[in-house]
């Protein structure tokens, strides 16, 4: 798990968010659209939930909200009526009549050091009675089976 962001990542993220806000502001009354971002917590009605989601865009009287987990999207949809009510109450000029929520997870590939090494014992290698689901039921020719076992042992030995 990556704990810190590089300065380039922070600047790129800020630049992207700023451009998104400008695009929304160009479609609407700029001052009011930017104030929605400032008062996001007030629109959502929950400080914790507001910190896990963001206003992505406003199109066709619909607020598009982005979150990174399905659990937060469910919380937003449960509060949908209240969120629309708050948009109408605090920002009537935006004309929000609906919200759409989408989940955008940030997946990162684990580094080789992050993956824990699995240790195998000789008993695991020798025991062919445990077959995996993907393993066919047909038996292999003895020469091929012997070669595969030797290959498996050498790979495990190399990884220790």
């Amino acid at each position: 798990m990556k704990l810190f962001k590089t300065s380039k990542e922070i600047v790129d993220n800020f630049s992207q968010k700023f451009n998104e806000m400008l695009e929304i502001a160009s479609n609407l009354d700029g001052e009011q659209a930017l104030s929605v971002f400032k008062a996001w917590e007030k629109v959502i009605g929950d400080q914790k939930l507001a910190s896990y989601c963001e206003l992505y865009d406003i199109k066709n009287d619909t607020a598009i909200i982005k979150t990174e987990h399905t659990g937060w999207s469910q919380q937003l949809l449960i509060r949908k009526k209240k969120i629309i009510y708050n948009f109408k109450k605090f920002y009537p000029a935006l004309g929000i009549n609906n919200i759409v929520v989408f989940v955008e997870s940030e997946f990162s590939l684990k580094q080789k050091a992050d993956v824990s090494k699995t240790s195998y014992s000789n008993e695991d290698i020798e025991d062919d009675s445990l077959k995996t689901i993907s393993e066919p039921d047909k038996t292999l020719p003895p020469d091929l089976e012997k070669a595969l076992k030797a290959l498996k042992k050498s790979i495990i030995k190399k990884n220790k």
Side-chain angles (χ1 to χ4, degrees), residues 121-131 135 149 152:
S121 66
N122 288 337
E123 295 170 3
D124 294 334
I125 297 168
E126 300 298 328
D127 186 16
D128 288 337
S129 63
L130 301 173
K131 294 192 178 216
E135 195 173 344
K149 280 185 182 181
K152 189 175 183 180

Side-chain angles (χ1 to χ4, degrees), residues 89-105:
K89 179 180 175 183
F90 300 120
Y91 304 98
L94 297 177
I96 302 298
N97 294 318
N98 193 19
I99 66 167
V100 174
V101 181
F102 73 97
V103 179
E104 184 180 273
S105 298

Side-chain angles (χ1 to χ4, degrees), residues 13 39 67 69 73 87 106 110 142 154:
N13 191 23
T67 185
H69 193 276
S73 68
F87 267 115
E106 293 181 7
K110 290 185 176 182
S154 67

Side-chain angles (χ1 to χ4, degrees), residues 26-38:
S26 68
N27 296 334
L28 306 164
D29 173 24
E31 193 172 307
Q32 189 170 26
L34 290 176
S35 68
V36 171
F37 289 97
K38 290 180 191 174

Side-chain angles (χ1 to χ4, degrees), residues 43-55:
V43 172
I44 295 299
D46 181 342
Q47 180 182 10
K48 186 174 182 178
L49 180 58
S51 68
Y52 286 100
C53 61
E54 65 183 62
L55 180 61

